[in-house]
Amino acid sequence: MTDNQKQSIKEMRGAGIGYKKISQVLDLPLGTVQSFCRRKNITVVEPVVHDENHCRQCGKTLIQTDKVKRRKFCSDECRVKWWTEHPCSKNTDSKSCHAVVCENCGKIFTAYGKEPRKYCSHKCYAGARFGGGAL
C-alpha cells in the first residue's frame, strides 16, 4: 500500500465512507482497508447535529412558527447552496452516492447519480484535457 493510498483511506474513513466503498475506489482488498483502519485507530467522525433554530448553511437564527413545517434554512439561496454542497446527506445509504478520486488532482469527492465522474471540478477537467488554464 502506498503512502497516497494510506492518506486517501484516512480522509475517506474520516468523512464517514465505509470500508467496502474505500476498497472499491482505491482498488484494494477489503481486509487490507479494515486492518489498516483498525491498526491506526481510524474512526468515523460523527456528523455535526444541526441546531433546529439556526440555518444549516450560514448559521443565522431562524424564526419558527407554530403549526407550520420547521424551517432548516433562512433563504432559498442558503437552501440551494447547502444541497449543492451536500447531495448525499438525505440518504447516506443511497446507491446513487459514491466516493471518487479525481483523476487530475487526486482529491476525494462524492459523486451523485449514475453517470460516472472523473474530475472534482471543471477546473480539474480543463487542466487534464487542455493542459492547464480553464476556458
Side-chain angles (χ1 to χ4, degrees):
M1 186 176 349
T2 65
D3 291 336
N4 192 17
Q5 287 175 325
K6 290 177 183 178
Q7 184 61 32
S8 296
I9 291 172
K10 289 177 185 177
E11 290 173 7
M12 293 172 81
R13 191 67 185 141
I17 299 171
Y19 297 127
K20 189 174 182 180
K21 286 191 179 186
I22 294 171
S23 69
Q24 290 171 348
V25 169
L26 299 177
D27 196 29
L28 291 171
L30 179 61
T32 302
V33 174
Q34 289 174 333
S35 64
F36 175 77
C37 290
R38 288 186 185 128
R39 274 195 319 262
K40 299 293 184 179
N41 198 21
I42 301 169
T43 57
V44 176
V45 177
E46 293 296 321
V48 177
V49 177
H50 298 286
D51 180 8
E52 63 182 30
N53 294 322
H54 294 88
C55 176
R56 286 186 175 188
Q57 179 62 30
C58 67
K60 286 184 183 176
T61 303
L62 298 174
I63 299 171
Q64 304 290 359
T65 308
D66 291 339
K67 299 182 182 179
V68 177
K69 184 179 175 182
R70 307 289 293 172
R71 295 180 69 186
K72 296 177 184 175
F73 305 98
C74 63
S75 65
D76 285 338
E77 292 81 18
C78 281
R79 178 182 54 83
V80 170
K81 187 174 182 182
W82 193 86
W83 282 112
T84 302
E85 294 173 359
H86 304 89
C88 297
S89 292
K90 193 166 196 165
N91 186 0
T92 56
D93 295 331
S94 175
K95 292 181 180 179
S96 59
C97 294
H98 51 280
V100 182
V101 178
C102 179
E103 289 185 9
N104 188 44
C105 67
K107 177 183 168 188
I108 300 165
F109 65 99
T110 303
Y112 181 77
K114 292 181 181 178
E115 186 176 327
R117 288 182 53 192
K118 296 180 183 179
Y119 307 105
C120 62
S121 65
H122 182 74
K123 182 179 177 183
C124 278
Y125 160 73
R129 176 73 170 85
F130 304 108
L135 298 175

